[in-house]
Amino acid sequence: MPFLASVPADRMKAPYPRRWWALLVLCLSLLIVVMANTSLIVAAPDMTRDLSLSSADLQWVVDGYTVPYAALMLILGAVGDKYSRRGALIAGLVVFGAGSVMGSLVHSAATVIAARAIMGVGAAIVMPATLSLLVATFPRAERAKAITAWSATSGLGIAMGPLIAGALLKQHAWGSTFLINVPIAAVAILAALVLVPPSKAEGMGRLDLVGGLLSVVTVGALVYAVIEGPHFGWHAPAISAVAIGAAGLMAFLLWELRHPAPILNVRKFRDRAFSGSVLAVLFFFLGAFGTIYYATQYLQFVLGYDALSTGVRLLPLAGGVFLGAALTGKLSQKLGMKPVVVAGMLLGTAAIFLLARIGNGATYTDFVPTLALLGLAIGLSSSPCTDQIMGSFPESELGVGGGINDTAVEFGGSLGIALLGSILATAYKDRIGAALAGQLPTEALSTAKDSIGGALGVAQQLTHSSASGAQQAQALIAAADHAFTHAVAHTSLIGGIVLSVGTVLVALVLPGRRTAAADPEQHVPEPATASAR
């Protein structure tokens, strides 16, 4: 066997012998992309202090990654299909690594946001490439197992990002959370050349660039509006983004329905298994990402855990993911996809509702069941949906299929953090504002109401301000903890209701086993055609 992988898997007479090593490379590439998002959860306090970030700055440090990531995945997945899926993976890792180097060296909010945006572009190339290469490399009999491992890696990244970032922050500055990506990306690039066979679609024809650009405008504008509106108010920028997104969506649908070779055949959404799977991914990650977002804040700001301790305490999430991934293959074969996906969503809903019961004096043990159940739900639900979505596309459109799946994940996660984060902030602000009325100067009160981190900063200032400052600081901390605990409980109630509605919709849309088998719209994938590139 040659040192470099140069022959496409579909041209081999037997299954590619190093396919499981190739999967390891794809999962490693996926892992750093996911961790780049979640590691920032625990690095944010250090970045805020060192760069003097406002709440708006911090929001866009986080979401500067999300907007290009979500907006570009569909078109870049199609580009990978046409020219080279492995080439796209390597190019994405190079861009991602370059953004990581930049992020580790800069010293202002604007340049950190720019670095995160570059990383988001790289992630948008990497994510659909990992999934399309997986499907192209594995024989159909093994794809479900491989996709389960891929999905479990995505869930693992949610927990591992804060853990690794926390370990780095013990000894290093926040820039290390960017720089750690560079050697991992370099290893993944070299390993991809050696272990991942090349793949591209044959006879694909010209790219639907107009449809691709319309998808970028539509998704980008809607993600921007989802971030901007709830956090900063529905003013001109957010309203304009909604209008642009709506117009872009209409134009995209009209163009794709009339185009002879559309970038996305929107008629696929008539297939209930496909549309139900996309809907399940979107709703599930809305609830999961939103809940992890505020649970992590509670661990840091109310319970006082540092970055590493917070990462360690998210490990029940990873354990749940692995358990769910181990169960989902056998259960899906025995019961069918729909019962497993709906059961996973019900577990996720129950996990979120559990946090609606917390009150003053809540400890980490109150969060363990939620984290473990959320992980179990991710492990159960995500891989059957991803398998169904990818199975709905012919071999020539695997990058597009990966782009659809990953866009649903990212858009759902963005919507969850924005929606539930906004509800959390409003509930906190109302409760602490009523508790502190007339007790603090106007500027200090405004800072304390902005976030619990702001309240703790004001309390620290009060400690050194006067003889009675320590007592005032303790009263402020108690009020902030109480307000944030109330906000978490209130937000969890709303989040649980939202995911409940999503679960009912998914249960209604997804077909049962017999319905799916009899559905004339169900896609039968065409034979694979690929060439080396």
Side-chain angles (χ1 to χ4, degrees), residues 202-376:
E202 193 65 44
M204 185 174 170
R206 296 181 63 183
L207 280 174
D208 174 19
L209 291 178
V210 173
L213 291 174
L214 286 172
S215 75
V216 172
V217 171
T218 300
V219 177
L222 291 176
V223 171
Y224 177 88
V226 160
I227 295 166
E228 183 76 12
H231 284 285
F232 307 113
W234 290 99
H235 305 306
I239 293 172
S240 298
V242 170
I244 292 169
L249 178 60
M250 290 299 298
F252 176 76
L253 292 174
L254 292 173
W255 177 266
E256 296 298 281
L257 286 169
R258 300 184 63 180
H259 198 280
I263 194 169
L264 173 63
N265 181 4
V266 295
R267 292 180 178 87
K268 287 185 185 294
F269 286 95
R270 295 187 300 191
D271 176 0
R272 289 171 56 196
F274 173 74
S275 57
S277 296
V278 173
L279 194 66
V281 169
L282 191 150
F283 267 104
F284 186 78
F285 281 96
L286 182 158
F289 275 47
T291 303
I292 293 167
Y293 171 74
Y294 60 75
T296 305
Q297 289 190 58
Y298 192 95
L299 296 179
Q300 287 184 287
F301 292 119
V302 177
L303 299 183
Y305 294 120
D306 62 16
L308 177 58
S309 298
T310 298
V312 169
R313 281 162 178 80
L314 290 177
L315 286 178
L317 180 73
V321 170
F322 277 114
L323 177 59
L327 295 173
T328 189
K330 294 180 181 179
L331 291 176
S332 296
Q333 288 181 356
K334 186 175 182 179
L335 303 175
M337 172 199 172
K338 180 176 179 176
V340 175
V341 171
V342 172
M345 294 186 73
L346 287 171
L347 281 175
T349 302
I352 297 172
F353 272 134
L354 284 176
L355 289 184
R357 304 181 306 125
I358 69 167
N360 291 335
T363 65
Y364 169 65
T365 56
D366 295 298
F367 286 79
V368 171
T370 290
L371 293 171
L373 284 175
L374 267 181
L376 180 61

Side-chain angles (χ1 to χ4, degrees), residues 18 24 91 105 110 147 157 169 188 190 206-207 230 242 247 274 289 314 328 351 359 403 407 423 426 428 466 489 524:
R18 295 190 293 193
L24 181 63
L105 298 175
I147 287 175
L169 291 169
L190 294 175
R206 296 181 63 183
L207 280 174
V242 170
F274 173 74
F289 275 47
L314 290 177
T328 189
T407 299
I423 294 169
T426 301
Y428 167 79
S466 65
V524 179

